[in-house]
């Protein structure tokens, strides 16, 4: 509850803020926003993550303050001695990556600000709602209920980035009139240049990234009468294009934009296994499907990781689709169609 969190943070002298592995705009934006807000009030703030800031967010003010957890003494001590640990945009210790267990075991009070399903139970206080568009929206609520004058440009800009990136630039079904009013307030208070911010986040792609996109789009495949689409990112594609895996961000949405496609899956091959990104439209919910494959997330955007090869993982996901989605009987069903078998064979050849 906000009513518990405000006095707790008001009295805290040292606060550690952390977020999930492979952080996105909502993760980094939320972390920077609450960090700057508390720092302005005189709180000592440490921002500690498992993974570095992605290249499209490196321009943001304050990112140089975010430390990648490397077990160094000052970070270990900061976590151990913090009065409060704030976790934003995830609710599970494992999703916090390397500092996860230490953050969970810290002596300080643990505060969760998040919009994912199924939170773990080690948090003392939380402000969470699954239907919130973003963690940024929840932080705005917290700050507005506390001290609106604290929403300075250094706070408004990262909050704007958090909300913009988690709403597909204000177009997903989680966008409400209330959210637009909050966003308008952020633009005014921060004197933000919305077009410039959008360009910084989305229009600085590399040619390598676009070459990778072209290779990945070449693997698009439709299943179940075109309701489900899949595509893959092989390690070979990454090596050939010279692009970094971060640059695959957003590819899966292109597949979802195909007419008729309700659910889009992108499989990314890594050294240790295969990462799956799930995206869906409307009432086609994917979080339970992602959970069944060891992941989780939101109803329309989830992820999972499998310690299996790319083609095994594609096959497993396609095979389990009908357990979680209301699919036509004419689709491949539990058995793969000839097209799918051919497709998987083609992947095998490419690898
Ligand atoms: P993405 O496909 O962008 O990596 O992830 C989409 C969403 O799924 C994320 O915002 C996050 O909520 C969730 N997610 C991604 N990967 C995992 C995972 O391995 N485990 C869980 N529990 N959630 C994930
Ligand atoms: Mn989020």
């Amino acid at each position: 509850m906000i009513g518990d969190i405000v006095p707790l943070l008001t009295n805290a002298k040292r606060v550690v803020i952390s977020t999930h592995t492979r952080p996105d705009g909502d993760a980094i934006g939320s972390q920077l926003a609450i960090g700057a807000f508390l720092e302005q009030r005189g709180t000592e703030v440490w921002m500690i993550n498992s993974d570095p800031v992605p290249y499209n967010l490196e321009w943001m003010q304050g990112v140089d303050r975010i430390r990648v957890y490397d077990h160094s003494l000052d970070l270990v001590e900061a976590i151990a001695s913090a009065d409060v640990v704030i976790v934003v945009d995830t609710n599970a210790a494992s999703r916090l990556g390397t500092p996860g267990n230490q953050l969970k075991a810290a002596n300080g009070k643990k505060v969760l600000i998040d919009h994912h399903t199924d939170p773990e139970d080690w948090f003392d206080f939380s402000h969470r709602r699954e239907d919130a568009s973003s963690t940024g929206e929840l932080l705005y609520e917290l700050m507005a209920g506390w001290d609106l004058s604290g929403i300075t440009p250094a706070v408004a800009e990262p909050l704007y980035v958090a909300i913009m990136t988690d709403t597909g630039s204000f177009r997903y079904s989680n966008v409400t009139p209330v959210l637009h009013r909050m966003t308008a307030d952020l633009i005014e208070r921060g004197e933000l240049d919305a077009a410039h911010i959008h360009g910084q986040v989305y229009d600085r792609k590399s040619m390598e990234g676009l070459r990778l996109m072209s290779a990945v789009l070449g693997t698009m495949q439709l299943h179940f009468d075109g309701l489900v689409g899949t595509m893959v990112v092989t390690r070979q594609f990454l090596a050939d294009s010279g692009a970094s895996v971060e640059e695959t961000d957003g590819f899966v949405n292109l597949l979802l934009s195909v007419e008729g496609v309700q659910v889009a899956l992108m499989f990314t091959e890594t050294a240790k296994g295969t990462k799956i990104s799930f995206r869906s439209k409307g009432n086609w919910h994917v979080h339970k499907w992602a959970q069944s494959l060891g992941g989780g997330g939101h109803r329309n955007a989830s992820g999972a990781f499998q310690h299996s090869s790319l083609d095994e993982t594609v096959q497993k996901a396609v095979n389990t689709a009908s357990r979680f989605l209301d699919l036509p009987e004419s689709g491949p069903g539990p058995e793969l169609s000839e097209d799918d078998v051919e497709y998987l064979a083609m992947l095998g050849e490419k690898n």
Side-chain angles (χ1 to χ4, degrees), residues 20-22 24 26 89-92 94-95 114-117 166 249-250 252 266 275-279 290-291 293-298 300-306:
H20 57 81
T21 53
R22 293 188 58 189
D24 57 7
D26 191 26
D89 203 38
T90 182
N91 56 31
S94 64
R95 295 272 298 139
D114 181 52
H115 64 139
H116 292 87
T117 57
D166 254 28
D249 201 35
V252 65
M266 183 171 79
K275 150 104 191 144
I276 317 173
S277 283
F278 300 75
R279 296 291 186 277
Q291 277 165 12
L293 293 164
H298 314 275
N300 298 116
S302 288
F305 187 85
Q306 289 271 304

Side-chain angles (χ1 to χ4, degrees), residues 179-217:
L179 183 71
H180 275 299
R181 286 189 197 100
M182 290 180 185
T183 310
D185 189 45
L186 290 175
I187 292 172
E188 281 176 352
R189 286 180 192 278
E191 296 180 36
L192 305 181
D193 180 342
H196 177 72
I197 293 174
H198 194 276
Q200 290 283 78
V201 176
Y202 292 114
D203 299 336
R204 295 189 308 136
K205 295 189 175 72
S206 67
M207 281 305 284
E208 289 81 5
L210 262 73
R211 270 187 216 109
L212 177 63
M213 185 192 289
S214 134
V216 172
L217 290 178

